[in-house]
Amino acid sequence: MFERRKITNPWEGKIEPFKIISNVYYVGTFQASTHLIDTGDGLILIDPGYSNALYLVVSSIYKLGFKPEDIKYIVNTHWHWDHTEATRALSEMSGAKTIIGKDDFEKAKQYFTADITVSDGDQLNLGNVSMTFMETPGHTKGTISFFFSCEENGKTYRVGMFGGAGANTLAKGKFDFDGCREAYRNSVRRLMKEKVDVFIGNHTWNNDTFGKAKILKETGENTFIDKELWGKFLTYCENRLDKVIEQEK
């Protein structure tokens, strides 16, 4: 996985926006992944990120030929500030409706009040995109993951994101809720049953976002298309949970 590094100033995480595949774009920074989906009838934005880096996200949206007011929905994968701190500002700027998992609604209020809460199996339908949500508690109680299909060069690909893979809240003294470890393991195992062709990371180091972007730019080879990576990453997540538990013994 991609190595995480400390970012002090927002501009240190600046990255040029790029197309991942079909109608899926990356508009975020190193420290906070933000994805944009063009549905043909408006945009869906995933996790606006930190408020002090919102100007970079907005700039990237313009660079791709879109506008903030094209955003119809902002999906927040979980309540943590590195994903939601800029949600209110971007929502007010764009007029977009905000979405979060039902069990993260209250904690997210310190950053924004969601317009819509989602549960297992709920769908967001806009233009040519039908996004299905899955409750995957563990990292937070209300973490949501999602899946949708896209087409490129006559082929259909299933895109997926694990909305909260972090192990930092799985250590004793840092639990987001009681039973988080058991919930995390159950979530990982549920996700393993899903077929994913294109795994987009909740953080850049989940799927080596920038390494894959470099290969795509320099060679034209799209290594984001990888049917095996989803399962490998989820196995890594479960093994990491085991290490957290083992280290406490």
Side-chain angles (χ1 to χ4, degrees):
M1 300 303 144
F2 200 87
E3 289 296 322
R4 186 170 185 168
R5 70 178 191 270
K6 185 178 180 180
I7 294 291
T8 302
N9 300 305
W11 54 86
E12 293 174 356
K14 182 181 179 180
I15 183 71
E16 287 299 308
F18 63 93
K19 183 172 81 168
I20 293 176
I21 187 171
S22 182
N23 59 346
V24 184
Y25 301 86
Y26 191 86
V27 295
T29 60
F30 176 85
Q31 65 271 35
S33 291
T34 303
H35 294 83
L36 196 68
I37 305 164
D38 178 14
T39 73
D41 193 24
L43 306 174
I44 299 171
L45 185 133
I46 313 297
D47 288 347
Y50 290 104
S51 59
N52 67 1
L54 179 58
Y55 75 98
L56 293 173
V57 172
V58 172
S59 175
S60 291
I61 292 170
Y62 277 116
K63 284 181 178 179
L64 290 172
F66 302 114
K67 296 177 293 184
E69 51 265 39
D70 295 329
I71 303 171
K72 304 302 181 185
Y73 294 98
I74 298 172
V75 175
N76 298 268
T77 55
H78 58 283
W79 72 265
H80 288 164
W81 58 92
D82 51 335
H83 300 271
T84 62
E85 195 177 50
T87 298
R88 179 174 177 175
L90 185 58
S91 175
E92 291 179 357
M93 180 188 303
S94 64
K97 297 292 186 182
T98 56
I99 297 174
I100 200 163
K102 63 177 176 59
D103 288 329
D104 269 5
F105 176 79
E106 289 299 328
K107 286 189 174 180
K109 279 185 177 180
Q110 58 194 295
Y111 304 111
F112 73 103
T113 299
D115 297 302
I116 301 168
T117 59
V118 293
S119 304
D120 246 5
D122 285 348
Q123 289 190 329
L124 172 61
N125 298 302
L126 182 67
N128 57 16
V129 170
S130 181
M131 179 179 290
T132 301
F133 295 102
M134 178 188 288
E135 293 180 82
T136 50
H139 185 54
T140 70
K141 190 174 183 180
T143 295
I144 52 173
S145 299
F146 61 81
F147 310 90
F148 64 94
S149 295
C150 69
E151 293 185 9
E152 185 166 271
N153 298 325
K155 294 183 178 180
T156 299
Y157 299 96
R158 194 167 192 239
V159 181
M161 176 185 283
F162 181 6
N168 56 314
T169 57
L170 302 178
K172 284 184 178 179
K174 298 183 179 179
F175 294 167
D176 184 74
F177 64 101
D178 291 338
C180 61
R181 288 174 169 176
E182 296 79 2
Y184 185 90
R185 192 183 302 279
N186 182 59
S187 293
V188 167
R189 292 183 177 180
R190 287 185 69 206
L191 288 165
M192 283 181 176
K193 297 176 183 179
E194 298 293 326
K195 172 183 174 293
V196 171
D197 304 302
V198 179
F199 165 36
I200 55 176
N202 190 239
H203 280 287
T204 58
W205 43 91
N206 291 172
N207 68 338
D208 189 13
T209 302
F210 295 158
K212 287 178 168 55
K214 183 178 180 181
I215 293 172
L216 184 60
K217 182 178 179 179
E218 294 179 353
T219 71
E221 179 185 2
N222 195 338
T223 55
F224 285 100
I225 303 172
D226 184 343
K227 295 181 179 180
E228 306 300 322
L229 185 58
W230 177 254
K232 289 179 180 177
F233 180 69
L234 292 171
T235 299
Y236 162 80
C237 288
E238 185 164 21
N239 290 340
R240 187 178 52 183
L241 170 61
D242 292 333
K243 288 181 181 179
V244 169
I245 296 172
E246 182 64 30
Q247 287 170 357
E248 292 174 352
K249 292 181 180 179

